[in-house]
Amino acid sequence: MDGASLKLRAGAHTLSYVADPDTTVETPLDQLEIAENLDRAYTVSDSGQVRRITIARDKWPLRAVACHEFKTSMFESAQVRCLFKVTEVIPYEWSAFNRLYEVPLAQARRARSFATEQIG
């Protein structure tokens, strides 16, 4: 099967799936509504500062695509509800960061490692 595979690891926990971005599937309206209402992103700085930024955009060009071979050892009840492909550049404006709180540096590093580490 052709597709884009993703594998993430955080310690002993894993998450993986294969996306088939060329196969459009019916978009569950409740999932599209949730995705279209996403308007913020969170970051953790090197010092452990958690920040939130609000994103303003005119459109959210999403298309539901097929997802296969979803597996995770993190949550027993986890399941794929929908996988979206962004179909064009998203025109947006970033607001200023809002500082939320500080987390211990080791915890910040673990969160960053989980979010970025791909395994093969």
Side-chain angles (χ1 to χ4, degrees):
M1 165 186 333
D2 290 335
S5 65
L6 174 75
K7 295 182 181 184
L8 299 173
R9 179 182 65 220
H13 298 290
T14 61
L15 179 133
S16 64
Y17 63 86
V18 176
D20 183 356
D22 297 323
T23 303
T24 301
V25 297
E26 184 175 333
T27 305
L29 293 180
D30 61 331
Q31 298 304 303
L32 182 59
E33 182 178 344
I34 290 169
E36 287 179 337
N37 285 305
L38 295 176
D39 66 351
R40 61 199 69 174
Y42 295 86
T43 66
V44 179
S45 71
D46 290 335
S47 66
Q49 184 182 95
V50 177
R51 301 176 299 179
R52 179 183 65 218
I53 192 166
T54 304
I55 305 163
R57 62 192 156 33
D58 292 327
K59 61 180 176 176
W60 203 216
L62 302 175
R63 180 172 54 87
V65 298
C67 180
H68 309 283
E69 301 176 37
F70 175 82
K71 297 176 192 166
T72 183
S73 63
M74 290 182 224
F75 309 101
E76 289 182 21
S77 63
Q79 58 181 304
V80 175
R81 296 287 308 274
C82 192
L83 183 66
F84 291 104
K85 175 181 179 178
V86 178
T87 58
E88 59 187 84
V89 174
I90 301 168
Y92 60 87
E93 292 181 24
W94 293 90
S95 64
F97 276 112
N98 296 326
R99 181 177 161 188
L100 298 179
Y101 53 86
E102 302 282 334
V103 295
L105 189 54
Q107 183 179 347
R109 286 184 177 143
R110 280 195 306 274
R112 179 170 286 114
S113 175
F114 171 74
T116 60
E117 182 178 319
Q118 292 191 12
I119 60 174

